[in-house]
């Protein structure tokens, strides 16, 4: 209560001093104005603390919560996407491996098929060649027999004309054999060897 | 002139002008500034000292509506109007913002949020423990916002000067003037008294009367003899009373000095001395001081007042002095 007396004394003393000098009202507090100030300030404080500050705090808290949740959600999504990415990478690697495997197998199959085809082709060719060779040999042999027969006949005919006598079958055969031994047929069958 | 020539000459010209602009331009500017003032002084001369003009009357409170209750003068005057304006503006702004708090804030909301955060975490949270901060935050925040709005509306010219009126189509309306409620000692003083009483009450409540008074003594005096201790206690007690003056006068004097500077630079000095030419010199300075006051002093003083309040409250209740 002593304090209140002191407070009240300040403006009174200052007001008394203020009567005399021109500018001293600047530093002389007025009790009425002080009470006005107190009332208006306390009212302002009451309104602010009752209606404004709680709402601002609430909104700030809500935002802080939203931000925290957003960060958590983002973290979670990042982790999920990381997991997904890892999974996809693993799957991709697997798929690539499988593809490589398939490719290798296909290549091997193709090589096998090619080798088989080559072998079959070679076999066929060889068969054809040997068949042709056989045909040619047979034909050559037949031609030789024919030539040999004709030569023998001609030789007989020529010998008859020269000697004017018929040869016996034995003579004839001997002569032909002699003549044929002199003839070289190697040129006829040369292309085949 | 060919384009090539222009290119080669351009850097030369630029170097010349920049060589002038650094020092010489400032000197030429100042010279011209002084020259205009001297020229005006030569043209208009001096009217002699003006004895009628009383600059302090800008801050004089004339009762507009006389009101007296129980021997106390409750008259409505300029200061009361500014207090009502400051309170209304504080309440309106804060309520308006608090009702429209968005998740994605606009600029005004961001500014208020920064100020709110300043009062909550820097002023209250910085000097007080959690429990005390929660209890005193509304007071500290209200102090900050209320003083800030009071200071800021002090820089809006309002038609409040009833000493000099302007005749507009026959109606005598008060001329526009700058005034601030906080440039009147009563207002900071009563806030200071609230702070002063509050921190003593908190101190006594936290420690008990005698322990609180004992905590005024700085630590490290345990071995001192009682007479010296008593002497130091008296000094500490005086320092507590000095806080009444320092806290209130710091705010009052800063705002008053700012307004006086604006008044004198804005033409008051020229009128007072009767030298019109002086106005040419002081008027640009008025802009500089206006920016300084609005941009720095108004906010800084509100911040200092509420920060010191928090520090006093924290000092009174903390375990060690």
């Amino acid at each position: 209560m002593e304090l209140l007396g002191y407070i009240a004394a300040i403006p009174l003393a200052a007001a008394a001093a203020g009567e005399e000098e021109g500018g001293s009202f600047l530093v002389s507090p007025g009790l009425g104005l002080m009470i006005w100030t107190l009332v208006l300030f306390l009212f302002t404080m009451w309104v602010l603390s009752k209606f404004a500050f709680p709402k601002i705090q609430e909104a700030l808290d809500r935002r802080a919560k939203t931000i925290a949740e957003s960060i958590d959600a983002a973290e979670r999504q990042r982790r999920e996407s990381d997991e997904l990415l890892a999974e996809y990478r693993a799957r991709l690697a697997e798929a690539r491996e499988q593809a490589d495997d398939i490719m290798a197998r296909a290549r091997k199959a193709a090589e096998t098929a090619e080798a088989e085809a080559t072998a079959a082709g070679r076999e066929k060719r060889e068969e054809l060649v040997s068949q042709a060779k056989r045909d040619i040999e047979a034909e050559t042999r037949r031609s030789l027999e024919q030539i040999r027969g004709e030569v023998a006949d001609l030789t007989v005919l020529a010998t008859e004309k020269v000697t004017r006598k018929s040869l016996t079958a034995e003579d004839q055969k001997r002569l032909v054999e002699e003549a044929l031994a002199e003839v070289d047929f190697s040129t006829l069958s040369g292309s085949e060897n | 002139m060919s384009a090539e020539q222009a290119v080669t000459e351009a850097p030369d010209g630029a170097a010349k002008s920049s060589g002038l602009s650094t020092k010489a331009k400032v000197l030429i500017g100042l010279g011209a500034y002084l020259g205009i003032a001297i020229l005006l002084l030569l043209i208009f001369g001096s009217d002699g000292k003006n004895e009628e003009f009383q600059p302090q009357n800008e801050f004089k409170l004339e009762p507009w509506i006389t009101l007296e209750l129980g021997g106390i003068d409750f008259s409505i005057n300029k200061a009361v109007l500014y207090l009502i304006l400051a309170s209304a503006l504080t309440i309106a702004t804060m309520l308006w913002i608090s009702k429209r708090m968005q998740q994605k804030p606009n600029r005004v909301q961001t500014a208020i949020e920064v100020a709110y955060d300043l009062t909550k975490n820097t002023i209250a949270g910085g000097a007080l423990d959690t429990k005390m901060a929660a209890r005193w935050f509304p007071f500290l925040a209200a102090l900050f916002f209320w003083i800030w709005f009071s200071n800021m509306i002090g820089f809006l010219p309002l038609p409040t000067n009833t000493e000099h009126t302007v005749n507009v189509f026959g109606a005598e309306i008060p001329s526009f003037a700058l005034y601030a409620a906080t440039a009147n000692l009563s207002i900071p003083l009563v806030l200071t008294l609230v702070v002063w009483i509050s921190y003593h009450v908190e101190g006594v409540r936290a420690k008990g009367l005698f322990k609180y008074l004992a905590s005024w003594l700085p630590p490290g005096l345990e071995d001192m003899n009682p007479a010296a201790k008593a002497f130091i206690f008296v000094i500490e007690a005086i320092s507590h009373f000095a806080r009444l003056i320092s806290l209130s006068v710091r705010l009052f004097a800063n705002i008053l000095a700012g307004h006086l500077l604006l008044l004198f630079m804005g033409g008051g000095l020229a009128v007072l001395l009767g030298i019109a030419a002086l106005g040419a010199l002081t008027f640009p300075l008025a802009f500089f001081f206006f920016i300084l006051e609005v941009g720095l002093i108004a906010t800084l003083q509100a911040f200092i007042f509420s920060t010191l309040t928090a520090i006093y409250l924290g000092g009174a209740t903390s375990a060690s002095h």
Side-chain angles (χ1 to χ4, degrees), chain A residues 61-81:
Chain A
D61 288 347
R62 207 181 320 124
R63 185 185 306 150
K65 207 173 140 215
T66 313
I67 289 169
E69 276 169 4
S70 306
I71 291 170
D72 285 350
E75 186 69 25
R76 206 164 48 239
Q77 278 168 1
R78 200 182 57 80
R79 217 179 303 122
E80 272 171 20
S81 61

Side-chain angles (χ1 to χ4, degrees), chain A residues 29-30 32 36-37 57 63 66, chain B residues 73-74 102-103 113 116 186-187:
Chain A
W36 269 113
T37 308
Q57 188 61 52
R63 185 185 306 150
T66 313
Chain B
D73 179 24
F74 283 107
Q102 301 291 319
Q103 286 290 82
E113 278 178 17
Y116 182 89
S186 306
I187 285 119

Side-chain angles (χ1 to χ4, degrees), chain B residues 243-254:
Chain B
R243 284 177 177 184
L244 271 177
I245 297 164
S246 68
L247 191 60
S248 58
V249 170
R250 181 182 299 110
L251 176 59
F252 153 70
N254 263 289

